[in-house]
Amino acid sequence: PSEDFYYLFLGRGYLERAAITEDRTEQSDLLSAAESLLLQAQNLNPLNTDHTANLARLNTRWYAAVDDEAEKAERLDLAEKNYQDALVLSPQNSVIRNELARLILEVRGDCDRALALYDESAEIDPYYAQTHLARADAYILCSSGRPDNERDTLYRSAVAALEQGLAAA
């Protein structure tokens, strides 16, 4: 009962199970159980980045699973806060930074902030190919609806990011 990894792994198990169930009630119950376990893990070892990052992932998944707008907003804010807290614990973690960037891009729709996060991630770890590939996707997504000259610049940036990703792979 004093081992944080027990709660982490059990909480992750519930989180993964919640991702595959079609039953909304079961999904809600599984997410609640996962949250409780991940909070216990974090309480036992607050400096372990995994616990905070998994709480961010849980809230991201929960955001997608609910229809109530107030609850969606709450879960989105919690996910973002947990990602930011995880980055305070592990500021050089490109995986967490990329997950936050994806959340900001896909859910918040904030291209500038997401691209800045991907740029930070690429600067921190220029050899992590996934960052460059995700950044290229972000450039392409952000080009939509832009004037021709801005869209072309974003496409060129996407090509450069893809080339960096291929070189790193």
Side-chain angles (χ1 to χ4, degrees):
S2 62
E3 295 293 330
D4 60 311
F5 280 99
Y6 167 78
Y7 297 102
L8 170 67
F9 293 132
L10 185 56
R12 286 288 302 179
Y14 281 129
L15 183 58
E16 293 306 316
R17 178 69 179 101
I20 62 172
T21 186
E22 301 285 328
D23 184 328
R24 296 286 260 202
T25 303
E26 180 186 19
Q27 185 178 51
S28 179
D29 291 345
L30 289 165
L31 290 170
S32 292
E35 181 178 44
S36 176
L37 291 163
L38 292 173
L39 286 168
Q40 282 181 271
Q42 186 183 47
N43 197 30
L44 286 170
N45 189 353
L47 298 180
N48 185 327
T49 305
D50 289 342
H51 305 323
T52 308
N54 280 307
L55 284 164
R57 293 175 188 119
L58 170 115
N59 282 295
T60 300
R61 190 160 299 159
W62 214 329
Y63 165 86
V66 296
D67 295 325
D68 179 68
E69 289 304 317
E71 188 174 0
K72 283 179 96 61
E74 179 184 350
R75 291 298 171 181
L76 178 57
D77 290 344
L78 282 170
E80 192 172 337
K81 181 189 178 311
N82 286 139
Y83 276 126
Q84 290 169 343
D85 290 348
L87 287 172
V88 168
L89 294 170
S90 295
Q92 303 299 312
N93 192 313
S94 291
V95 172
I96 293 171
R97 193 173 308 276
N98 291 350
E99 289 178 18
L100 175 58
R102 184 174 53 248
L103 179 73
I104 297 299
L105 179 63
E106 294 177 1
V107 179
R108 295 251 189 235
D110 187 341
C111 283
D112 293 336
R113 190 164 160 225
L115 288 170
L117 285 164
Y118 281 126
D119 289 344
E120 288 172 12
S121 185
E123 188 175 316
I124 289 167
D125 186 356
Y127 302 106
Y128 186 49
Q130 292 302 321
T131 295
H132 301 295
L133 301 177
R135 189 167 58 151
D137 287 342
Y139 282 126
I140 292 167
L141 184 64
C142 292
S143 70
S144 180
R146 301 275 180 116
D148 289 348
N149 61 335
E150 286 182 40
R151 189 183 67 241
D152 290 347
T153 300
L154 289 169
Y155 283 160
R156 284 186 180 83
S157 297
V159 168
L162 287 170
E163 288 172 346
Q164 288 173 314
L166 289 172

